[in-house]
């Protein structure tokens, strides 16, 4: 049976991202979503990994303050090539330029996740490294027309056809690349007494 703490506390995802919502649904925990409304402008000289962590914590804290007593999840991701951040392309030409610059190279995706109960936030950062294939412009253009990944940092959706762009992916947490590291998140939630497995009911004999 679920513990009283697990059933009594509400869970909120501080994100309007459909990708993060779909990932969190895999844990089978009831949750709601709320827009964090956090300024995502990098601080001067801020390292990409530090930016992702700061924003994940800020998103969780912003929604936590508006919903006292809830357990709030915040997450953010920053992609980099040779340490320089790359953002969401927003359109075809920008996406094509990104993929041209990335082919045959390694892109690092720093994905941060934070859980805040209003008192003691906990967090983790997972770095995923993706080596892209040496592909022709024709292949890159065909991919972009087929998938239109213009709202995705790095212009590639690895959870879909974008996996065909990859030579290799290295990560300790396979869903981190999509935007929410579920292994790290499960560990953080368990620390607050909300383990997804504890919340499952055993079938009656």
């Amino acid at each position: 049976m679920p513990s009283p703490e697990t059933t009594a506390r509400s869970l909120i995802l501080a994100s309007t991202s459909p990708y993060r919502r779909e990932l969190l649904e895999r844990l089978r925990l009831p949750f709601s979503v709320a827009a964090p409304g956090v300024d995502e402008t990098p601080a001067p000289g801020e390292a990409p990994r530090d930016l992702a962590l700061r924003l994940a914590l800020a998103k969780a804290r912003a929604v936590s303050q508006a919903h006292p007593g809830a357990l709030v999840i915040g997450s953010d991701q920053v992609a980099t090539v040779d340490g320089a951040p790359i953002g969401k392309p927003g359109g075809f030409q920008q996406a094509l330029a990104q993929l041209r610059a990335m082919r045959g190279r390694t892109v690092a995706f720093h994905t941060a996740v934070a859980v805040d109960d209003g008192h003691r936030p906990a967090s983790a950062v997972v770095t995923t490294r993706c080596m892209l294939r040496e592909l022709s412009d024709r292949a890159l253009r065909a991919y972009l027309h087929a998938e239109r990944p213009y709202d995705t940092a790095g212009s590639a959706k690895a959870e879909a056809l974008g996996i065909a762009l990859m030579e290799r992916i290295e990560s300790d947490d396979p869903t981190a690349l999509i935007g929410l590291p579920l292994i790290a998140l499960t560990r953080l939630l368990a620390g607050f007494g909300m383990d997804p497995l504890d919340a499952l009911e055993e079938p009656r004999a």
Side-chain angles (χ1 to χ4, degrees):
M1 293 292 292
S3 68
E5 185 177 0
T6 299
T7 56
R9 177 176 283 175
S10 62
L11 183 66
I12 303 175
L13 176 63
S15 173
T16 56
S17 164
Y19 310 112
R20 292 192 175 105
R21 184 170 63 247
E22 290 169 6
L23 287 171
L24 185 54
E25 286 172 350
R26 296 186 189 183
L27 298 185
R28 301 191 182 188
L29 293 169
F31 69 94
S32 58
V33 299
V38 169
D39 182 1
E40 300 188 16
T41 304
E46 188 171 29
R49 184 183 185 280
D50 295 339
L51 171 62
L53 179 57
R54 177 174 64 82
L55 292 179
L57 287 163
K59 291 174 182 179
R61 176 50 55 90
V63 173
S64 177
Q65 290 176 340
H67 297 82
L71 200 58
V72 182
I73 301 166
S75 187
D76 196 80
Q77 184 181 79
V78 179
T80 63
V81 175
D82 295 335
I86 52 175
K88 299 175 182 179
F92 176 83
Q93 291 300 333
Q94 298 93 325
L96 181 59
Q98 277 191 353
L99 291 180
R100 281 171 170 166
M102 289 159 43
R103 57 185 165 194
R105 302 173 71 185
T106 298
V107 183
F109 292 84
H110 306 283
T111 309
V113 60
V115 177
D116 196 330
D117 65 350
H119 302 287
R120 50 182 184 93
S123 61
V125 180
V126 177
T127 298
T128 303
R129 290 178 172 81
C130 301
M131 169 69 81
L132 273 71
R133 297 168 59 199
E134 285 277 9
L135 294 169
S136 66
D137 281 2
R138 186 211 65 79
L140 298 181
R141 287 194 296 267
Y143 166 71
L144 292 175
H145 286 305
E147 193 146 76
R148 303 177 63 83
Y150 307 138
D151 64 342
T152 302
S155 306
K157 294 183 179 180
E159 69 274 22
L161 182 58
I163 197 69
L165 303 177
M166 306 298 172
E167 183 73 34
R168 184 172 65 254
I169 297 176
E170 299 174 354
S171 179
D172 294 328
D173 205 328
T175 61
L177 182 58
I178 309 173
L180 190 65
L182 292 182
I183 293 176
L185 176 59
T186 298
R187 184 171 61 250
L188 294 176
L189 289 174
F192 287 93
M194 190 179 283
D195 191 306
L197 298 181
D198 289 342
L200 295 175
E201 292 189 15
E202 293 189 37
R204 301 190 181 195

